[in-house]
Amino acid sequence: MAAQTVATPAAVPSAGAPAVDLGPASALSCRECGTRFELGPIFACVECFGPLEVAYELPVGTGSSEDVEALRAAIEAGPNNIWRYAPLLPVPADVAGKPSLNPGFTQLVDAENLAKELGVTGKLYVKDDSGNPTHSFKDRVVAIAVEAARAFGFTTLSCSSTGNLAGAVGAAAARAGFRSCVFIPHDLEQGKVVMAGVYGGDLVGIEGNYDDVNRFCSELIGDPLGEGWGFVNVNLRPYYGEGSKTLAYEICEQLGWRLPDQIVIPIASGSQLTKIDKGLQELIRLGLVEDKPYKIFGAQAEGCSPVSTAFKAGHDVVRPQKPNTIAKSLAIGNPADGPYVLDIARRTGGYVEDVTDEQVVEAIKILARTEGIFAETAGGVTVGVTRKLIENGQLDPALTTVVLNTGDGLKTLEAVAADSGQTATIRPSLDAFRAAGLA
C-alpha cells in the first residue's frame, strides 16, 4: 500500500483499530488544529496544513503504582537499545526480532572534568550519541521510520540529508533489505559522503544547500518517479520524529528515573528538541518520573541561527537564513519545527543561543581534552552554547544539566585538522626526544 503523501487521508473513525500494526500508535494528529487521521505515509494536515504527529493509546490506563512499576520493570528487562521502549513507540510489539541496527542506550557520561572547565558546580552529563551504529543520533529516528516503511509497503528508503541521516538511511536500508536512494548537498564533509556511500545505495549530490535538497525531495515525492518510496523525513516524518523521544527516555532512566533540571539540545530542523520535550512529558503523564520543572535550551551556530535570532528578538515567526557555518549537520536555514522550539524554550524558561565557528572548534577541543569525547561540529555547538549560557547567567551551574553530543568527530575532521596533528616529528632516539622538549 505504497500510498503517496499527496493523497487525501481519511479521518480516523471514532472506533476501530488502525489498518496497520504500529503498536500503541492509534492515529496521526495535527499539532495545530487537532484533526486526526488514519495511520499512513502523510505528514501535513489537509485541513490547516499543520504538521502531523503520532497519537497513542499508551500502556498505562489507570496510572496506579502497580501499572507504573510493571511498565518500568518491563522497560528495564528489555534489550539494551531503543526497543526497550517499544510500548511507547509507533512500532509492532515484535520489533526487537526484526532486522535492524538496534541503536540507542548510548552512554550518559558523568562529565566531571568538563564541569570544572565550565564552572559547573552541580552535575553535568554528556549524552554521547556518537556510540550509535553509524555514529550519530540519526540511527534512532531511522529505525522507527523503517518500521513505518515496512508497515506501508514501501520498497525504497530515501531522505534529504545534511550528512548523518544519509549514512543512517543507507546502513538501515542495507540491514533491513530495502533499496536506498538519498540526497545531500553537493559540498558536504568528505567523511560523511564516504560513510553515506559505502552501504551500496544510491547517493545523489544536489547543487545547493539543504533547503534546496529538501525542496527537490518534496517534488519527487509527488511525482510517479517516487512511487513506492518512503522518505524518512518527509512522508514518514511523523514516525521518524518519534525516534528522538528515546533520548529523553534514556536520559531519565539513566538518571535513575529522574528528569534533568536543564538540557542543551542542538537545533537543525528543531524536531529533536520538540520530540525530547514530548518524551519528557509522556514520562511524566505515565508516572515513570516525578513531575517537576525542567528547562530546555536550544543551540545553534551563528552562521545558521534563524531560531536563536527569532528567540532573542521576541518573535513567534522564524525567518529563513542562508546557512554559512562549519556546523553543516545543523545548517538548515528554514527549520520546520522552529516555531515549536520557540514555544518550548519559552514555556520551560530556557533559552536559544548561538556561537561562532571559532567557538565551535574551541568547544570540540575542550570536550575532547576534558572527557575524551571527540564530537562533530554539532557537539561543539552544544558545548559552546552551554559555556556561553553559563557565562551569561542563563543556565544555572548548580543544577543537573545534560548536554547532547549527537555525532562523531571523525565525520568532521576538517573542523579541527589544521592544529590537531603531530606534536613533533623526531628521530627514533632518546636524545631526539629530549631535544624536542617533550621529556
Side-chain angles (χ1 to χ4, degrees):
M1 75 180 259
Q4 296 301 303
T5 306
V6 292
T8 302
V12 168
S14 58
V20 296
D21 177 15
L22 289 175
S26 59
L28 295 177
S29 177
C30 177
R31 202 183 301 180
E32 291 293 327
C33 71
T35 301
R36 290 165 73 91
F37 303 95
E38 291 180 352
L39 295 171
I42 55 174
F43 67 97
C45 176
V46 297
E47 300 295 331
C48 72
F49 302 107
L52 300 181
E53 60 182 14
V54 179
Y56 295 91
E57 296 294 334
L58 290 174
V60 177
T62 65
S64 69
S65 58
E66 292 82 5
D67 285 336
V68 172
E69 289 307 316
L71 177 57
R72 184 180 287 125
I75 289 171
E76 292 175 347
N80 288 329
N81 54 54
I82 62 172
W83 305 134
R84 67 198 286 115
Y85 307 109
L88 309 180
L89 297 170
V91 296
D94 63 350
V95 64
K98 297 185 177 183
S100 169
L101 296 179
N102 298 324
F105 221 65
T106 54
Q107 290 188 85
L108 184 67
V109 178
D110 188 349
E112 293 183 0
N113 296 329
L114 180 62
K116 292 176 184 177
E117 179 83 20
L118 301 184
V120 172
T121 56
K123 295 295 290 185
L124 178 64
Y125 297 92
V126 175
K127 181 60 171 170
D128 185 13
D129 246 24
S130 66
N132 276 310
T134 69
H135 308 290
S136 90
F137 92 95
K138 291 294 188 181
D139 290 321
R140 298 174 181 272
V141 290
V142 172
I144 307 296
V146 165
E147 294 310 309
R150 283 190 176 117
F152 302 137
F154 289 118
T155 56
T156 297
L157 286 183
S158 186
C159 68
S160 52
S161 173
T162 57
N164 282 324
L165 181 57
V169 168
R175 173 70 175 134
F178 287 84
R179 177 204 174 207
S180 68
C181 181
V182 300
F183 301 90
I184 59 174
H186 70 286
D187 60 349
L188 279 186
E189 301 98 334
Q190 186 63 16
K192 291 181 179 176
V193 173
V194 172
M195 188 166 191
V198 75
Y199 300 109
D202 293 316
L203 179 65
V204 181
I206 300 291
E207 295 178 359
N209 59 32
Y210 173 80
D211 297 300
D212 297 314
V213 179
N214 205 36
R215 279 191 293 271
F216 169 79
C217 289
S218 296
E219 293 179 13
L220 179 57
I221 205 170
D223 190 274
L225 287 171
E227 180 70 29
W229 287 40
F231 288 79
V232 300
N233 55 345
V234 187
N235 59 349
L236 297 177
R237 187 176 181 83
Y239 313 95
Y240 158 94
E242 295 295 281
S244 289
K245 296 193 311 181
T246 61
L247 280 161
Y249 300 158
E250 287 179 20
I251 288 169
C252 290
E253 183 180 354
Q254 290 169 323
L255 288 175
W257 294 107
R258 292 184 296 111
L259 292 168
D261 298 315
Q262 303 170 134
I263 183 166
V264 185
I265 305 169
I267 299 170
S269 71
S271 175
Q272 184 186 67
L273 187 149
T274 64
K275 295 305 182 182
I276 288 176
D277 179 64
K278 183 180 180 182
L280 297 176
Q281 290 296 311
E282 287 177 351
L283 293 180
I284 291 170
R285 289 197 301 273
L286 290 166
L288 289 170
V289 297
E290 181 182 352
D291 189 4
K292 68 165 190 168
Y294 61 85
K295 294 182 179 182
I296 290 184
F297 297 86
Q300 293 202 290
E302 186 181 275
C304 185
S305 54
V307 185
S308 66
T309 299
F311 184 90
K312 294 174 185 178
H315 296 161
D316 295 324
V317 176
V318 176
R319 296 185 61 182
Q321 295 181 359
K322 185 176 181 179
N324 182 22
T325 173
I326 62 171
K328 293 184 179 181
S329 62
L330 304 182
I332 297 180
N334 188 18
D337 283 295
Y340 302 106
V341 170
L342 296 175
D343 291 343
I344 291 168
R346 289 166 179 156
R347 170 173 59 78
T348 65
Y351 201 85
V352 185
E353 186 56 272
D354 55 80
V355 284
T356 66
D357 283 356
E358 291 75 18
Q359 290 170 316
V360 171
V361 172
E362 184 181 3
I364 292 172
K365 294 179 179 179
I366 289 173
L367 181 59
R369 172 168 49 81
T370 59
E371 299 298 340
I373 297 172
F374 185 18
E376 69 164 24
T377 48
V381 169
T382 53
V383 173
V385 163
T386 301
R387 185 184 194 184
K388 189 173 181 179
L389 290 169
I390 292 170
E391 291 172 348
N392 293 343
Q394 289 145 343
L395 189 146
D396 189 339
L399 298 179
T400 297
T401 303
V402 176
V403 177
L404 266 61
N405 173 43
T406 53
D408 194 319
L410 291 174
K411 297 184 178 187
T412 56
L413 291 172
E414 298 90 341
V416 295
D419 55 357
S420 295
Q422 299 175 9
T423 303
T425 302
I426 64 171
R427 298 186 308 279
S429 73
L430 292 177
D431 288 342
F433 183 62
R434 290 189 185 96
L438 300 174

